[in-house]
Amino acid sequence: MNAARRIQAWIDATVFDLARQMRWSYLPPLMVYLAYGISTITGIVGTFFVKEYLGLSAAFLAGLGFWAGLPWALKMPLGHLVDIIWRWKGALVWLGAALLLGSLGIMYLLITAPDAMASILPIPAWYVTAVLLMPCGLVLQDAVADAMSVEAVPTHDGSGAPLDEETLRALHTTMQTLGRIALIGGTLIVAAINIVAFEGAEALPQEAKAEVYARIYAIAMIVPALSVSGVALAAWQRRRSGATEPERAKTRPNPWYFIGGGAFVALSLTVGLLDVPFAQEIVFAGSMTIVLLLMRQLTRAISPAQARMLFGTALIVFVFRAVPLPGPGATWFVIDGLKFDAQFLSVLGLIASTLTLAAMLVLRPYMAQRRLTRVYLTLTLIAGVLALPNIALYYGIQNITAPLTFGILDARFIAVLDTAAESPLSQIALIPMLAWIARNAPSDLKATFFAVMASFTNLALSASALGTKYLNQLFIVTREVTDRETGAVLIPADYSQLGILLIVVGVLTVALPLATIAIVQTSRLRTTD
């Protein structure tokens, strides 16, 4: 009986309490987060488009990932802009929607009207433009969604009495958790759509495949519509209640955020247009310098002890996210070597999203009760262990396990197990950071403070892309590229160096974060949060 009561209490605290804390005002930012999650619908079709239509190398694509990640480093000045134009912040969501629509429209036309597009610009140039427009639109909407998530949390109860600190902390934590759930829920919807869309696509002729790809990009155009609907709903809620924009402390503009943002844009354009050697490295170093200087500006609003903890925490999160990845060669291998088709990759995405949602609900109490350093220490060790199945698949462990288990432990089963274990990891790793931001954001710098950690840690994704590029230049991986007209092989497939690449990535995944945690915790930047 006691065991049953404990189970009932755990379920209530883990699941139903989250539902009880839901507020009608949470819906607008959740719609923007949901749109962000659904925007991943083009991930798989984009991989197959590049593989089948473009002869771009893994190193070039990794470099393109670097440039695509840089707009996220601008989230800090954008967050400050949101604080300043708080009443009109919804306009940035509309601008982001226009950029997203442009990106999706380009990709749709590249598939449905490639000759017409090629007559204006080369197809690779159009593709690069579409890839760069997408993060620009997403970062605008994400900066506003973070601000909306703070605004959505009520500060008074139904009788007009101010809520106590513990209640506010719980509501903010719930809002951030629901935001992650909405985002991952979007990827869950995406996986389900892809499974249906790609059913039987592997056996279709190339022209029919192109129709499937175009249909997915057409469906993706719901993303900008959904995000602007969230802003419209927030405005309707205020009109319906007769309320105006919530009162808040007026933010004093700090020109350094915009000077830094302008310097970032100028540096990127100058280096890019002049075709300077090591352009990505120069832009990364310049961006890092700018972001650190802007972080220094922000820390003047908090105590020296909090500032040191902020930098220590940010450094740990940065290195955790900056670990290089195998790159597109790993995906090419499972497509060519293991014969994973688009539908099966969609099934893996569906499993990943479902388990991530479940893990967020189950582990929410654990994340709230553990120190951030302990959480990242645990996640780092788990990430190292979870690198092993991919390495084993490359070296053919499925050829041993499948005969011994009557075909059960084949490559696809091992891939499902790996996805089931690893998928919650990357998303859960974000929750401690978001909770830390929610607890420590100054009242008059909500969006700016949210954007500070996001800008710095998102710059880590650019560092990860650089590391990925270097590894792909050191360990060359190529997929087969054929001429669409003659069928002649232009670039032969070569996965001979992929195994050592996967091993190096696995070692770095463990070594770099562990070394950073040790350094931070033995320095003045030691974090106890």
Side-chain angles (χ1 to χ4, degrees), residues 143-207:
V144 177
D146 289 342
M148 293 172 66
S149 70
V150 176
E151 182 184 49
V153 176
T155 57
H156 296 74
D157 60 20
S159 64
L163 296 175
D164 60 84
E165 188 65 26
E166 288 298 322
T167 301
L168 285 174
R169 182 181 294 111
L171 290 175
H172 277 292
T173 302
T174 298
M175 177 69 250
Q176 297 307 317
T177 302
L178 289 172
R180 295 304 97 189
I181 289 176
L183 195 155
I184 303 303
T187 65
L188 187 65
I189 295 172
V190 163
I193 292 175
N194 278 330
I195 289 174
V196 175
F198 283 117
E199 184 176 6
E202 186 66 20
L204 295 176
Q206 192 60 45
E207 294 77 9

Side-chain angles (χ1 to χ4, degrees), residues 76-98:
M76 185 156 52
L78 286 174
H80 193 57
L81 176 63
V82 170
D83 274 326
I84 295 171
I85 63 168
W86 189 266
R87 184 178 179 183
W88 307 105
K89 59 185 178 296
L92 295 180
V93 175
W94 286 89
L95 176 59

Side-chain angles (χ1 to χ4, degrees), residues 459-508:
L459 195 57
L461 300 180
S462 296
S464 176
L466 274 178
T468 302
K469 183 186 76 168
Y470 297 149
L471 290 179
N472 276 267
Q473 289 174 342
L474 183 61
F475 305 104
I476 305 299
V477 179
T478 61
R479 82 247 187 242
E480 183 179 282
V481 177
T482 59
D483 187 282
R484 293 174 59 191
E485 307 239 345
T486 65
V489 176
L490 303 178
I491 302 175
D494 183 4
Y495 298 107
S496 60
Q497 299 188 54
L498 179 60
I500 187 63
L501 172 61
L502 293 173
I503 293 173
V504 171
V505 169
V507 172
L508 293 177

Side-chain angles (χ1 to χ4, degrees), residues 252-281:
R252 182 179 179 180
N254 187 332
W256 284 107
Y257 290 106
F258 304 106
I259 293 173
F264 170 83
V265 173
L267 175 66
S268 300
L269 290 177
T270 301
V271 173
L273 293 176
L274 294 180
D275 195 20
V276 177
F278 302 103
Q280 294 171 1
E281 290 78 2

